[in-house]
Amino acid sequence: MSTSTPPRPRSATTSAPARSRSALPLAGVRAVAFALMAAVAGAALLDAPAPTAAPPPTTAAPAPAPGAPAPTASDSTASAASAASTPVHFTGKAFDTCEAPSVETMRAWRGSPYGAVGIYFGGRGRGCPGQRELNPGWVSSVQAMGWRLLPVFVGSQAPCVEAPAKKPFAIGSDPWGQGTREAGDAVRAARALGLGTSSPLYLDIEAYRRGDAQCAATTLSFVRAWNREVRRLGYLPGFYSSADTGVRDIEAQRRAGTADLPAVMWFARWLGKPALATEPTLAPAAWTPHARIHQYAGNVTESYGGHRLVIDRNAVDAPVARLTTARAGSSSAEPASAEPASAEPASATSASAAHASASAAPAPSVHSVVSRAPARP
């Protein structure tokens, strides 16, 4: 939304005194006229109110993130909600794992190359729905350590999803309504953890069958509805999927000018090293700047400080969660003042394997190149 210059006040106009019909000489007429004008002007100055300060200039709203549609009337609620806070960006490495690790593990992993962590905070399709550690206390504790959070919502999946474990969570006959309802679920779950407005919420859509037009259309309707409602409620809709299915289809919609698309793109292609700027399914300028995450390796076992995890590796140049400091039972919240810790650039290669200690137990198989996302938690 561009800013408009405040309307300039109209100048007070005074009608010129009537010309004298007397036979006074021209000089006399001018003298009388000037005297009358001075008297009128002096009276106006005496009666005028005291001057007030000029209104402060209006600040332009941030431009929509690449891939997001232009604001519309339906976005008015989101605009008002996000006016008090702006997204916090993180550039560096991140990991995600099925269940949120303990606070002790997160403290031990501060010695790792990672500066952010993906958390599976909601959705009926989560592989680890229990999340014993994930609560507001955990969120505030790891944030205080310097970690930044990438909230992931694993809800309903494409009707032609490939992972057998995700098939029971297929999108139903009303994808738009279902997407809207699940977006509300996501926002409520985020608020319950203390994740404030302007935080990104990443919708996880697992790899699905390519070439199935009906399945892709149903999935797109669900995703667009989810995005629209998340935006309306003041959060930032992100999208995770396989580079060759969900991401490819969303990019095609971006090129076509479709509305209600994600603001941030998290694409899975297991190359073994980060390639944020060179993903072939995305146009070079799409979802830039600060709107991409590349999951470049998966099911990797790493250990730091004696705490071992099986993780996926990610390169990040994207928004992360903004925490609130609301008291229990209070509906008001203020943005947390903590700023992102310095982190390794996202362009760095995956040196984490070299730093991780070898595991005694056999590690899960690691694919050097995967063009479609595996089943996520």
Side-chain angles (χ1 to χ4, degrees):
M1 181 176 63
S2 60
T3 55
S4 57
T5 306
R8 299 177 62 181
R10 295 183 179 179
S11 302
T13 58
T14 43
S15 56
R19 293 178 62 90
S20 173
R21 295 180 182 272
S22 66
L24 288 174
L26 181 59
V29 172
R30 288 178 176 172
V32 172
F34 289 153
L36 288 172
M37 291 175 66
V40 172
L45 288 173
L46 289 173
D47 294 337
T52 57
T58 305
T59 304
T72 64
S74 64
D75 297 324
S76 58
T77 304
S79 299
S82 62
S85 59
T86 55
V88 175
H89 295 98
F90 170 83
T91 301
K93 288 185 175 181
F95 75 90
D96 62 273
T97 188
C98 187
E99 187 166 353
S102 67
V103 170
E104 292 75 19
T105 297
M106 295 301 294
R107 184 175 294 110
W109 273 56
R110 287 303 292 154
S112 73
Y114 305 104
V117 57
I119 55 171
Y120 295 90
F121 74 98
R124 69 191 192 106
R126 283 186 299 179
C128 295
Q131 298 293 335
R132 294 166 295 178
E133 302 287 341
L134 190 56
N135 55 51
W138 184 95
V139 167
S140 59
S141 293
V142 301
Q143 177 88 359
M145 293 178 199
W147 289 101
R148 296 299 173 257
L149 305 179
L150 299 165
V152 184
F153 184 86
V154 191
S156 295
Q157 299 294 307
C160 56
V161 64
E162 292 184 342
K166 303 299 183 185
K167 291 184 182 298
F169 309 110
I171 299 165
S173 59
D174 178 20
W176 191 273
Q178 194 169 353
T180 301
R181 289 189 297 273
E182 292 193 25
D185 295 340
V187 168
R188 282 188 290 273
R191 287 173 176 164
L193 285 177
L195 309 182
T197 55
S198 84
S199 294
L201 306 180
Y202 293 94
L203 176 63
D204 182 325
I205 295 292
E206 292 298 314
Y208 52 85
R209 186 170 59 248
R210 288 185 63 180
D212 189 328
Q214 182 59 48
C215 177
T218 297
T219 305
L220 176 65
S221 181
F222 174 87
V223 172
R224 290 181 60 214
W226 195 91
N227 293 340
R228 176 180 288 192
E229 184 68 0
V230 164
R231 273 196 183 94
R232 190 187 72 81
L233 295 172
Y235 288 75
L236 196 65
F239 180 74
Y240 166 90
S241 192
S242 155
D244 281 338
T245 54
V247 173
R248 182 185 297 274
D249 288 345
I250 292 292
E251 167 65 358
Q253 295 300 319
R254 185 196 66 81
R255 292 174 183 266
T258 302
D260 300 314
L261 296 185
V264 192
M265 182 61 75
W266 188 341
F267 58 94
R269 189 182 292 278
W270 289 5
L271 300 171
K273 60 181 181 180
L276 272 174
T278 56
E279 168 52 42
T281 61
L282 296 176
W287 286 281
T288 61
H290 311 308
R292 287 190 181 194
I293 303 174
H294 178 199
Q295 186 185 86
Y296 61 90
N299 294 336
V300 181
T301 300
E302 296 188 28
S303 180
Y304 298 96
H307 293 256
R308 187 177 63 191
L309 295 172
V310 178
I311 65 167
D312 298 334
R313 297 172 178 164
N314 305 275
V316 181
D317 181 16
V320 291
R322 176 185 287 275
L323 271 60
T324 61
T325 55
R327 292 177 297 176
S330 172
S331 59
S332 62
E334 298 176 357
S337 59
E339 292 299 322
S342 60
E344 189 174 352
S347 59
T349 57
S350 61
S352 56
H355 296 289
S357 60
S359 169
S365 60
V366 180
H367 301 280
S368 58
V369 178
V370 174
S371 62
R372 59 181 177 81
R376 292 283 294 279

